[in-house]
Amino acid sequence: MYETAAIFAVILFFYSVIADKLERTIIGGAITFTAIGLFLGTSGFGILDLPFNTEGLSILAELTLALLLFADAANADLKELKRSANLPKRLLLIGLPLTIVFGIASGAALFSAITLLEIALLATILAPTDAALGKAVVTDESVPGPIRSGLNFESGLNDGICVPIFLAFLAFATNAAGEQSFGQIAFHLIVEEVGIGAVTGIVIAGIGATVIKLRQSREDISPSWKQLLVPALALACFATAQALGGSGFIASFVGGLLFGGIAPHKTEGYVLAAESTGDALSLLTWVVFGATIVPRVFDSITWEIAVYAVLSLTVVRMLPVWICLKGTRMRLGEVLFVGWFGPRGLASIVFTVMAIEAGVPGADFIALVVACTILFSIIGHGLSAKPFTRMLARSHAAATQAEREENEVATQP
């Protein structure tokens, strides 16, 4: 245990030293740490010998996602979100269901080893996008504000929305549904998961932000303890909602939005510690992923799995985005950008572990497909984030300049 802890600490230390320069290149943290895990794991040099523990991986992924969702939501520009709320609404209410439908259709065409219900589970597991892997895009100010806030809001809520759908499919796949219909179960779970999660996040974050605001006005908060306020608040939102039967992910994101709206000096003074902790846990998750999961993908991947993974990251995601954004004023390049940056990661890991623990007959196959898709996403989205962001920024600047010149010509006598 101490040897593993020492290796993790050394990796984090040296990455922290070079992170600023490395993150300016096309090589992101997820790629770096997954590669480190692969090379140091038993399939590489054998220095890092980690037992494959689904429960431990799930807990690590859940806590990481809770912290990052809260921090990203607290840092969100609410004024920009109000102006561009149409984008995340379309992505969540139209694009997300279509993504699941297209995922089911693709799986039915490619896979005969699992049932249609298990394919539906797989499609739902891979529907939510990852706030951690998408951070390079949503925090880059060269990306137009509406796109940044839209993608951030989408990644913050789509995993929570997928929870009741996933649990409904899971109940049928494990014969736990009884005589209830899918619609009855899904509706009950949506009300329970989303409702409890949202209320929990609002209550806990509201109380926490109010207390912080009062204490800060009196300058009573110790600088050393100040750093723990937001991580504690984020984890309180997540764990309380989970304990009450709601979605901890919804609670974390909604709580972060409320905290960001009412807490003073939120970005630098409070949220930074939660963001840093979440980033560190995220990178350690990718080390574990690289050391324990990636070798299994290399050993068992088939052409059908590879094709489905590619489809999941491209057509299955991008076509619904194109459909749901038809009729908007977004340019084709912007639509393609939004469609492409739907990375898969932590939420999909959590859902997969839940399917394994529930005893779904095809869970091992589902886990292999999910792992392959996440691996492709880490590589594809990691390498393309910087170049595509620069391309979008140049395209947006050129289009804005062209519109400005047209308006000037039109207003001339």
Side-chain angles (χ1 to χ4, degrees):
M1 180 182 70
Y2 293 117
E3 183 179 323
T4 300
I7 293 172
F8 280 159
V10 169
I11 292 171
L12 273 179
F13 174 81
F14 281 106
Y15 182 79
S16 299
V17 171
I18 64 170
D20 185 55
K21 288 187 177 181
L22 190 62
E23 289 174 358
R24 293 177 189 174
T25 69
I26 63 172
I27 303 174
I31 295 177
T32 302
F33 277 67
T34 301
I36 289 173
L38 179 62
F39 291 137
L40 296 184
T42 53
S43 294
F45 296 107
I47 299 173
L48 194 60
D49 188 7
L50 296 174
F52 179 65
N53 186 329
T54 56
E55 183 179 0
L57 182 60
S58 176
I59 292 173
L60 181 60
E62 285 180 348
L63 296 181
T64 301
L65 194 53
L67 287 168
L68 290 175
L69 286 174
F70 193 99
D72 287 348
N75 283 326
D77 186 341
L78 297 183
K79 292 181 180 179
E80 181 62 59
L81 183 59
K82 288 179 182 178
R83 289 195 295 267
S84 56
N86 188 45
L87 174 58
K89 280 197 299 186
R90 285 173 176 259
L91 291 174
L92 291 168
L93 299 179
I94 303 173
L96 183 60
L98 285 177
T99 298
I100 295 175
V101 170
F102 287 5
I104 294 173
S106 301
L110 286 168
F111 301 138
S112 59
I114 53 177
T115 66
L116 188 60
L117 265 176
E118 290 163 354
I119 291 172
L121 264 178
L122 172 63
T124 308
I125 288 171
L126 288 174
T129 55
D130 189 317
L133 284 177
K135 186 177 177 181
V137 171
V138 300
T139 58
D140 193 325
E141 295 188 359
S142 65
V143 177
I147 293 178
R148 276 190 289 118
S149 62
L151 288 174
N152 186 34
F153 200 76
E154 180 202 16
S155 65
L157 290 181
N158 59 12
D159 39 23
I161 293 173
C162 283
V163 168
I165 302 171
F166 167 78
L167 292 177
F169 283 131
L170 188 64
F172 279 93
T174 56
N175 297 316
E179 296 182 358
Q180 298 182 78
S181 68
F182 178 83
Q184 290 174 317
I185 293 178
F187 178 77
H188 172 74
L189 289 170
I190 287 172
V191 172
E192 187 177 85
E193 295 277 337
V194 178
I196 293 175
V199 171
T200 302
I202 290 171
V203 171
I204 292 179
I207 293 173
T210 303
V211 170
I212 290 173
K213 195 171 184 179
L214 289 173
R215 299 297 291 178
Q216 214 231 334
S217 65
R218 301 174 185 175
E219 298 184 352
D220 285 342
I221 301 177
S222 167
S224 61
W225 288 99
K226 182 180 182 180
Q227 306 303 315
L228 296 179
L229 292 172
V230 171
L233 201 57
L235 295 179
C237 289
F238 173 79
T240 304
Q242 292 288 110
L244 294 175
S247 170
F249 301 134
I250 291 287
S252 297
F253 192 77
V254 172
L257 283 175
L258 182 62
F259 180 87
I262 63 178
H265 310 298
K266 57 183 183 300
T267 310
E268 289 297 327
Y270 294 99
V271 179
L272 188 59
E275 197 172 5
S276 300
T277 305
D279 286 342
L281 290 177
S282 174
L283 296 176
L284 291 182
T285 303
W286 298 127
V287 172
V288 176
F289 180 78
T292 61
I293 307 296
V294 173
R296 296 168 181 256
V297 175
F298 290 157
D299 290 341
S300 307
I301 190 172
T302 64
W303 72 266
E304 293 94 344
I305 292 174
V307 168
Y308 186 87
V310 172
L311 288 175
S312 180
L313 299 175
T314 54
V315 176
V316 170
R317 157 76 181 180
M318 298 177 75
L319 185 56
V321 169
W322 179 76
I323 291 173
C324 75
L325 295 182
K326 285 190 70 175
T328 66
R329 299 180 62 184
M330 291 185 67
R331 304 178 184 90
L332 178 60
E334 294 173 334
V335 172
L336 292 174
F337 185 89
V338 172
W340 169 241
F341 281 105
R344 313 305 200 279
L346 297 176
S348 297
I349 291 174
V350 173
F351 288 159
T352 303
V353 172
M354 291 171 65
I356 292 172
E357 293 177 346
V360 174
D364 289 341
F365 185 83
I366 290 173
L368 180 60
V369 179
V370 171
C372 182
T373 307
I374 293 174
L375 178 60
F376 286 6
S377 180
I378 290 171
I379 297 170
H381 292 112
L383 293 177
S384 64
K386 290 295 182 183
F388 284 12
T389 296
R390 294 189 193 105
M391 288 172 58
L392 179 68
R394 288 196 295 267
S395 173
H396 181 74
T400 302
Q401 179 64 25
E403 288 179 1
R404 188 180 296 114
E405 291 174 356
E406 288 180 5
N407 291 335
E408 289 176 356
V409 171
T411 55
Q412 288 178 357

